[in-house]
Every structure is written in C-alpha cells, then in structure tokens.
C-alpha cells in the first residue's frame, strides 16, 4: 500500500538523555497563575471524594489497599490469581494453592475494607489459609488437609474468590454480554472502548482468532452503537501484537506486508460503523514498527472522512512528544482527523529490565515517576493545542493529573478523559458531578477468566507500586498535600531527572567492570548503522593453512619461553591488556559480526550476543584477576609469623575451543589462562580459523607479548598432538564428551606431573513445564532455547517435558510458533534460524530426523531452503525421556509428557541421562522448583525463562557429570583452576625479635 506522497518516517532518538529533556519540560511546566490556582482545590476535592465515599476505592484499588504488593499476601494473591484458572488438574491446583497460601499470613489478615469483593477474597483465602498450619511441610500439609476436609473445598473456595474478583474487573466474558451490561450505563452518558483480552499471538492461528474476535466485536458494537456521532460513540482498542505472530522490528517487511492489510480491514469495518478505533501502545522496541503500520493503514484512501482512527501514546517514553508531533503531521499531510489517547504506560519494569539486558546506552523510558507525570502534562498541553486535528483522550486515574488537565483546558471541550473499568470510579463520579461538561470513556476488558486474570495482575503490578497514585490515594496516612506536590517541583532541576538508584545499563556491573554495549534492533537508526558497518567490514575469507604436529611441539616450546617473562609481569599489567582487548572488541564489533556470519553462520542477533560475551569475558577476568592475583591473601597465624597465600601461573595451557562460539569461548579460555599467569597455545575449531586469527591479532594489538600466546590452526590431529606434548601444564577444552574423554586418557597416560583438565562438554538439556506455566511464555522460551542458533549451543533445549494435562495446547502453540520462524541466510537481519555449521553436521541431523520419523511422533517439520547446510526445526514426541540417549546438536526438539503424580519418575529419567548442563523449569509453584533444584545437580537452572545465553559474571556457565568438570566459565571459581597455589610463611621473630608483640604490650 504505497502512499502518495510517501509518509515521513519517525526518526526521534530512541533513548535520549533525561536531563536535556527535563530542562525543556521544566521551562514549559508552569501554568498561568489563574489556572494554576484552580488545581489544588479541584484535586483535593477529587482525592477527598476517593477517600470519603463508602465504596470510594472500588475494584482494583480496594484490592490494592487490602493486599498491598509489598506484603507477602499481596504477592501470593497475585501469583495465585494469575495462574490458578488455567490449571486444569486438581492435584496441581491444590499444590499451587497450598504453595501460595503458605507464603502469607492470610489467616490473620485483618479485613479493613468493607467492599464485598475484598471480603469475599479475604474470607476465602483466610479460610483456606487457616487450614494450612505453620511449620508443616507442603507435602505434609496437603496430606493432612486432604485427610481432614479434603482438598476440594479449599480449591473451590479459592477459585470462587478469584472468579468474583475477575467478574469485577472485566465487563464480561463475551462481547454480547458486555454490550448488554454496558448499555445500562451508556444510557447514563458513559462512553466505552472495548478491549478483547489475551496475550499476544504466537501462532498464525492465534492471530486469526484474535482478528476474528476483533471483527465480530466491531460488528456487534456497531449494531448496538445508537445514533450519536463521534466522538460520542463507542469504540474498540486493538493490539498489533495480537494480530501478527512475529510483530517485531526484524520482521518489518513481513509485518508491513501481512499485518497492515489486516489492520486496514478492521479499520474499514470500524469506519463502516463510525466507531472509535484505537491502536494500543505496547513495548518501546515496537514503537517505530507500530507507527509505520499505523501510518500505512491510516493513509489508505478508503478511511477518508472518518474521525475515529486513533493511537495510544505512552508518556513514560521519552519519545512521547515526538510521537504526537509525528502523528499530527501525518493527519495534517492527509488532511484528516484522528484520536489520540495519552496514557502513562503499563510496561515500565519490563522496559527497564530489557534495556539492561540488551546493554543499551540509555533507557527509552524515564526512571523517575515525576518525570513521567511531567511529560504527561507536557504532552497533554501539546495535544490540546493540536485540536481539532487530534482529539485528545486523557487516560489517567491520578487526581492531580486530571485536575491539572482540566485547569489547562479551561471550559472548552473537544477532548475526553478515560479510565479502566473497575478503577477510578469515585474520582470520575465526582468530576462529572462537579463539571458536567467533562466526559469520561471507560476502557472495558472483555474475555474469559483465563485471560482476565493475567490482565488483572498487570493492573495490580502497575498500580500497586508505592509510587503509583492509586496506591497512595488508598493510603489514608499519606497527607493530601503530599499528593498535590507538582511533578516539576519534585524534580526541581534538570540534573535530578534521572533516578540515581537505577544505573545506566552500561554501569550495571560497576564498580567491577563496564557492561558490554548491545544494540536495540527496534531502533531503526541504530540497526541501520550497525548493518552498514557490518557490510563495510565484510571481507573475503582467506584460506588458512593447517599446522603440522612438529609445529605443535615448537609452539609449546615457544610458549614455554613466553611463560618465563609473562608470569613475572603483574596482575595489573595482565588485566590492563585484557581490558584493552575488551575495548578493541567493542570498537570492532561490526567486523567480528561479519566474520561470525560468514564463517560461523550466525544470525545478527547471535553475532551481537557473541561479541558482547567475548567483551564481558575480557573485562570480567581482568577484574577477577586483579582481585585474585594482585596481592597475596594474608592468613591468620601466631604472633611473630606472617602467612600469605598467593596464586601463580602453572606454565603452558593448551586451549581447544569449538566452532559454535568461535569468538566468545575461544577468547574466554585464552583470557582466563593468560590472566592466571599462564602462556597459552590455542587451537580453534577447524571450521572457524579466521575468527581465531583475527581475535589473536587483536590480543597482541592490546599489548599481549607474542610469545605468551601461540595460535595453531588444524583439526583434531593437531589438538591431539598438543595434548601429547610432555611440557604442558594444563588443558582447557570445550567440545564433545567423547573428545574430552580422549584428552583425559592421553593426559593420564603421561609420566610426570598430573596435568589438570578443565572440560566443558554437552548436555541433554531438559525443560519441565507444569500446568501452572503460562503457555505463551513457554512457547517463547522453548522456541528461543531449542531453535535459536539452529540449536547449536551446548545450553540448547533438547528435551521438553510437559505435564500431560496441558500438553496438547502447549505443544500446538510451540509448533505454531516454530512455523513462523524464518530459516535462511544469516546475513539477512530478518532470519531467525541460520544454517548448521557444515555438511557433515547436516547429514548427521538429517539422519536423526529420519530415525525419529520412524520411532517418534512428529509434531512439526519446518521447511528449509534448498542448497546450503540448512536443517529446518523439527519437533518429535517420545514415549519416554530415556529414548533420547545422546546430545543432538541442532534444531530438533524432543518432547515427552509426564503425569503430575509421576513427577519424581520424570526427575529420575532426567538424572539418568548422566548430563547436567542446563535445565529449565516453568512453574508458578515454588515448591516444585525447589524439588527440581534439590533433586538434579544441573549446572545452570533457569526458572520461567529460556535456558540459553548465560551472561558472564551473572550466570556462570558449566555443568557436571557427562557435561564437564567445572569450574564454571565466567564465574568466581574459574581463574584459580588455572593457577598454582603457594603459601609463604615468614618467621618475623627470627630477625630482630617480635617487635610487633613487644610494642603491643607497651
Ligand atoms: C483507558 C486506558 C487505556 C490504556 N491503554 C494503554 C495502552 O495502550 N498501553 C499502555 O502501556 N498502557 C495503557 N493503559 C495503562 C496506563 O498506562 C496506566 O493505567 C497508567 O500508567 C496509570 O497512570 P495513572 O496516571 O493512572 O497513575 P500514576 O500512578 O500517576 O502513574 C503511573 C505511571 O508512572 C510510571 N512510573 C512508575 N514509576 C516510575 C519511575 N520510577 N519512572 C518513570 N515512570 C514511572 C508507571 O509506569 C505508570 O506509567 C491504559 C489506561 C487507561 C486508563
């Protein structure tokens, strides 16, 4: 749908500096004195109404007051609410209830609110909790409970309470029921915007189902909409993430091609009924794409003459004002009107976490609440001046925000307020009574209980924080004056705009080290810049000759000489070289990503992550090395004696690394050995020699003496020749269990000192999913764990174990999500799954697929491009976990079902594989998680998340059993394994007597 003339692109900076923004906002914050004077009385009136009315705090607010998020009960209730209604089997539901109720003091919970709803839940939970005696083990409690009264009454009471709560916050389960309920209130003048609940689509079927439910809802709303004209007509809110299974920046072309026409069809239908139609605001990394889809659809000539098309904008985002200007310009260019809902934003904690994980330069959202409020008012003023081109819709439950907007707007109209169903009732009742010219639209969620509680939990999280207005208004001990403090006054000056307790992502690990720099793929300009740099850096790969066994012997001799001088230089010196290497890697990341793509078949995402990991190794080992090797450790002892313990290098370490992390593992091994004072002979995998060559050059450029590090190219024969050398002091190896065993045998056969081996091998990594887990989250985490990097990670998921009560739905969702992956050229940023490393690997994997097709049930077989070493993702269901006897290093996922009652057998089966590298648990039951962790000695356990991408210093990596010797790479125990220990005891009394003691006596 090309528009003519082409629409302007949204180009605002993704995460600008807070202080610069604050300086601008502070200057424009003040209202003329007459308007300013109106705010306090009005806001006071609203707060008094909220606090005074008998049911002032209805709905969510009452819940919050009763079970604040800061209490154990609040958290337990929230988790219980979120998951209980999707648990189909009684046993899991009971275990879950008991687990959560055991965490709080529900039995002694004093009921403060008289709201029927809160009483019901407190009663039900209190009743249940009183049955769980303190000090009993969960299993014991459940047994005792069941014996005395049976678990069903507890379950029934709790479910009933949850349903009551749900009914209160959601207008109804179907659009028809909701419209009937809304009609009564609509007669009193309320406007509605309906929202179809649900998590985003993971599969094409999900997207189709959401599309259909939006289309049906629009038709139903349209039929009952009456005769009023816009804006006084009802509306609908749609989420773009519900309409497409890969609504993400890297899939931009596909999204534009597939999602835009779908959105347009819905918009046309809404136009047909002359409804309000709002595109909800989602996560910051989707903003640019949302705007593009939004604009392309809006520009379509078929929507001309309709004023109901609209967008939600989040004021916690630093780009909010730029978004408003952008859409106003768009509306101007097309000479049309649209609606704009201003919200503060619902995903703040997620945004902060994501920016930290991705190592961004700054946050896309503000980090102080008054900055969000200040920006909201700034945007509100902008919107009011942009009328009638834009119809402002102010969504807030904050009395001060509402009062300020009313003072700003004066008595004019051409805008509306909005609130969520179940929230802000008293506030808006008072406002509408005192200011009858104002209008408030209610955002009304529609959906079944399963989806409703996830929505409720989001609302609780968003409004339960201490900083939230709703939480403060609900707390009578907070003086009204405090609630009237203006955001500009709270900020004071621009230097205070940032929250000092939230470090920039780069400083997350300070003072120890800098975090490695990442990239936001949802930031179009950052992505384009990186892609440009990668293309500029791309070179034809040279062919490198393999070394000979004689050269292996010579390399060890040369390194032995190098060791003499390297081991005598200080830890500070070693650390300085490592830090410089980290900085150089960061400067040249584009060149390394190009190499990783061309030689290692890595996608853009994987390339970025791998360079970051390599940088983190350099910085982490530098900082650990200074701590451990800097000054000797002083030990306690008798007077007249000094005892110290120091670490020093062992000699020449042989480092043998794999092709799947040709930069990160290669450099991780080398930098650890060097930092510990050893010289190194490194042999990279024969599939990825060029990356190794360039990385070694970089280390030398950073100041590493040539003789301290020898690089030897070649295949396993060269590795074997190195391990056989008599004069080596240690081997660090990452690769298969089989080769690790061979190395171990060679070392054991030698005479002379026993040579240590640090081996990190593979795993049959499992993920356990019980009935309390959220299927959408499971789908995301399984797809990433099993198929990212084409499954070629030691940590990748091989065996998914799903409770059989939910298995059909979970497996279908995972298969549907796998179908949406793009398999192809790793240099294309839209690719999710690249090739496997070589033809040999492909042949092995293809053979396994053929075998599995005979022996297991096929749930999904993807389609790979022809030519090249592509293997499409596959999903097979096995009868038992024990059918999988070896690590299958590719994008092939095996699934088994387990019965809740046979959970221990499942754990035994996993233990019986003998591997113990990574393990995932998806459950809301803490006791289940504790049981798994206690039973299985797996090196890296991940709970309710994916199981790959261990971060250096955060999730030290490595396993036990058949998975390796330990210690964990990127962890605090790694460097000492490369070193010798030496104690020095000095009798200080021998020379000159015990002066210290004598002085002390005096
Ligand atoms: C009709 C309606 C539609 C909505 N649609 C959307 C939507 O499409 N997308 C969406 O994201 N949300 C949406 N929301 C949710 C909305 O974002 C929240 O309800 C809103 O943030 C609460 O704001 P408030 O003024 O009522 O509360 P307040 O308590 O005054 O403000 C809470 C806001 O402050 C932010 N905040 C808290 N701590 C900090 C901090 N340290 N630094 C910076 N900011 C902080 C919170 O994240 C939140 O945004 C909608 C809400 C309504 C009423």
């Amino acid at each position: 749908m090309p528009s003519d003339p082409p629409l302007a692109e949204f180009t605002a900076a993704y995460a600008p500096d807070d202080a610069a923004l604050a300086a601008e906002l502070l200057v424009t914050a003040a209202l003329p004195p007459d308007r300013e004077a109106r705010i306090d009385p009005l806001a006071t009136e609203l707060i008094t109404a909220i606090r005074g009315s008998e049911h002032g705090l209805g709905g969510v607010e009452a819940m919050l007051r009763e079970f604040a998020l800061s209490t154990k009960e609040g958290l337990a209730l929230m988790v219980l609410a979120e998951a209980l209604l999707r648990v189909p089997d009684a046993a899991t539901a009971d275990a879950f209830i008991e687990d959560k109720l055991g965490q709080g003091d529900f039995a002694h919970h004093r009921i403060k609110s008289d709201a029927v709803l809160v009483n019901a839940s407190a009663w039900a939970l209190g009743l249940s909790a009183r049955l769980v005696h303190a000090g009993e083990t969960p299993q014991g409690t459940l047994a005792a409970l069941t014996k005395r009264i049976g678990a069903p009454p507890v379950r029934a009471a709790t479910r009933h309470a949850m349903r009551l709560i749900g009914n209160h916050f959601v207008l109804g389960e179907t659009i028809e029921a909701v419209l009937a309920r809304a009609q009564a209130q609509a007669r009193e003048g309320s406007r509605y915007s309906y929202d179809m609940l649900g998590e985003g689509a993971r599969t094409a079927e999900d997207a189709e189902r959401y599309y259909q439910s939006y289309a049906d809802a629009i038709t139903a709303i349209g039929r009952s909409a009456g005769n009023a004209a816009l804006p006084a007509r009802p509306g609908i809110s749609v989420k773009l993430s519900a309409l497409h299974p890969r609504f993400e920046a890297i899939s931009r072309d596909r999204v534009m091609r597939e999602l835009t026409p779908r959105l347009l069809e819905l918009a046309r239908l809404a136009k047909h009924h002359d409804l309000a139609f709002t595109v909800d605001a989602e996560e910051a990394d989707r903003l640019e794409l949302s705007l593009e889809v939004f604009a392309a659809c809006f520009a379509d000539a078929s929507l001309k003459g309709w004023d109901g098309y609209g967008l939600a904008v989040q004021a916690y985002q630093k780009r909010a004002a730029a978004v408003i200007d952008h859409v106003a310009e768009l509306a101007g260019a097309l000479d049309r009107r649209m609606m704009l809902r201003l919200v503060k934003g619902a995903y703040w904690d997620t945004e902060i976490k994501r920016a930290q994980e991705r190592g961004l330069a700054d946050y896309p959202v503000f980090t102080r609440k008054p900055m969000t409020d200040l920006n909201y008012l700034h945007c509100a003023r902008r919107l009011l001046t942009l009328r009638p081109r834009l119809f402002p819709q102010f969504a807030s439950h904050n009395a001060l925000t509402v009062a300020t907007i009313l003072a700003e707007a004066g008595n004019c109209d051409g805008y509306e307020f909005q609130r969520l169903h179940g929230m802000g009732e008293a506030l808006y009742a008072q406002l509408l009574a005192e200011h009858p010219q104002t209008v408030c639209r209610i955002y009304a969620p529609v959906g079944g209980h399963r989806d409703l509680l996830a929505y409720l939990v989001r609302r609780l999280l968003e409004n339960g924080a201490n900083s939230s207005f709703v939480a403060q208004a609900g707390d009578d001990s907070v003086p009204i004056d405090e609630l009237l403090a203006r955001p500009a006054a709270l900020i004071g000056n621009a230097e205070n705009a940032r929250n000092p307790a939230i470090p920039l992502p780069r400083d997350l690990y300070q003072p120890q080290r800098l975090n490695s720099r990442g990239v936001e793929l949802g930031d179009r300009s950052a992505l384009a810049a990186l892609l440009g740099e990668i293309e500029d850096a791309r070179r034809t790969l040279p062919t490198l000759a393999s070394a000979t066994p004689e050269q292996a012997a010579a390399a060890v001799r040369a390194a032995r000489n190098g060791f003499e001088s390297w081991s005598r230089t200080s830890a500070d010196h070693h650390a300085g070289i490592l830090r410089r290497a980290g900085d150089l890697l960061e400067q040249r990341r584009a060149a390394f990503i190009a190499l990783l793509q061309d030689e290692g078949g890595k996608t853009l995402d994987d390339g970025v992550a791998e360079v970051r990991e390599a940088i983190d190794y350099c910085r982490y080992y530098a900082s650990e090395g200074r701590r451990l090797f800097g000054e000797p450790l002083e030990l306690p002892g008798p007077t007249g004696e000094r005892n110290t313990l120091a670490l020093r290098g062992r000699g020449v370490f042989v480092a043998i690394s794999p092709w799947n992390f040709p930069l990160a593992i290669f450099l991780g091994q080398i930098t650890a050995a060097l930092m510990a004072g050893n010289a190194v002979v490194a042999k990279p995998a024969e599939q990825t020699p060029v990356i190794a060559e360039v990385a070694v050059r970089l280390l030398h450029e950073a100041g590493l003496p040539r003789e301290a590090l020898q690089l030897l190219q070649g295949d396993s024969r060269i590795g074997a020749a190195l391990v056989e050398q008599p004069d080596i002091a240690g081997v660090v190896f990452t690769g298969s269990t089989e080769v690790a065993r061979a190395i171990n045998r060679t070392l054991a056969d030698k005479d002379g000192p026993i040579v240590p081996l640090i081996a990190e091998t593979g795993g049959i990594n499992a993920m356990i999913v019980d009935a309390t887990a959220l299927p959408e989250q499971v789908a995301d985490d399984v797809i990433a764990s099993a198929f990212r990097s084409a499954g070629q990670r030691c940590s990748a998921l091989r065996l998914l174990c799903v409770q059989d009560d939910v298995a059909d739905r979970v497996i279908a969702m995972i298969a549907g999500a796998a179908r949406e992956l793009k398999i192809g050229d790793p240099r294309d940023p839209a690719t999710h799954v690249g090739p496997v490393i070589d033809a040999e690997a492909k042949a092995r994997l293809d053979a396994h697929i053929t075998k599995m097709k005979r022996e297991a049930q096929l749930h999904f077989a993807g389609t790979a491009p022809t030519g090249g070493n592509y293997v499409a993702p596959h999903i097979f269901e096995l009868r038992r976990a024990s059918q999988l006897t070896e690590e299958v290093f590719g994008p092939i996922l095996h699934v088994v079902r387990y019965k809740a009652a046979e959970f221990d057998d499942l754990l035994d089966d996993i233990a019986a594989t003998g591997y113990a590298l990574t393990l995932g648990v998806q459950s809301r039951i803490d006791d289940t998680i504790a049981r798994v962790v206690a039973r299985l000695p797996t090196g890296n356990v991940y709970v309710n998340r994916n199981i790959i991408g261990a971060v250096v210093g955060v999730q030290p990596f490595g396993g036990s059993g058949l998975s390796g010797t330990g210690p964990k790479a990127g962890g605090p125990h790694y460097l000492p394994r490369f070193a010798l220990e030496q104690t020095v005891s000095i009798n200080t009394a021998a020379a000159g007597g015990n002066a210290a003691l004598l002085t002390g006596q005096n």
Side-chain angles (χ1 to χ4, degrees), residues 281 314 344-346 348 367-369 372 396-398 462 469:
Q314 297 154 324
K344 287 182 190 168
W348 183 76
T367 53
R368 287 193 63 196
K369 162 89 166 56
T372 294
S396 172
H397 308 114
N398 181 323
E462 172 189 296
F469 175 83

Side-chain angles (χ1 to χ4, degrees), residues 273-397:
H273 295 288
D274 203 23
L275 302 179
F277 180 91
T278 304
V279 174
D280 273 348
E282 302 189 61
E283 293 85 349
D285 61 350
R286 288 167 157 170
L287 177 63
E288 290 178 1
L289 186 57
S290 297
L291 287 174
E292 223 183 324
V293 172
F294 178 83
C297 177
F298 186 53
D300 195 90
S302 63
L303 300 185
K304 235 181 206 163
W306 172 49
D307 297 345
Y309 192 68
L311 181 72
V313 176
Q314 297 154 324
Y316 67 16
Q317 280 213 47
K318 296 171 177 175
R319 294 175 289 178
V323 175
I324 290 170
D325 288 345
H326 177 75
V327 295
E329 217 172 276
L330 176 71
L334 296 166
D335 193 23
R336 304 245 286 276
R337 290 183 180 186
M338 67 164 79
M339 299 185 146
L340 199 138
R341 173 196 299 153
L342 187 62
V343 303
K344 287 182 190 168
Y347 312 94
W348 183 76
D349 51 333
T350 313
E351 297 293 357
I352 297 290
K353 183 176 182 198
R354 252 188 215 169
Q356 292 185 349
E357 283 174 344
R358 293 180 188 183
L360 303 188
D362 205 332
Y363 297 100
V365 296
F366 292 108
T367 53
R368 287 193 63 196
K369 162 89 166 56
M371 281 303 295
T372 294
D373 292 335
L374 193 58
N375 198 36
Y376 190 94
L377 297 174
H378 173 78
C379 292
R381 183 178 302 169
R382 187 97 194 92
L383 280 175
L384 289 169
T385 62
L386 287 166
R387 285 171 304 175
R389 178 73 71 202
L390 300 185
F391 178 79
Q393 301 170 306
F394 300 113
S396 172
H397 308 114

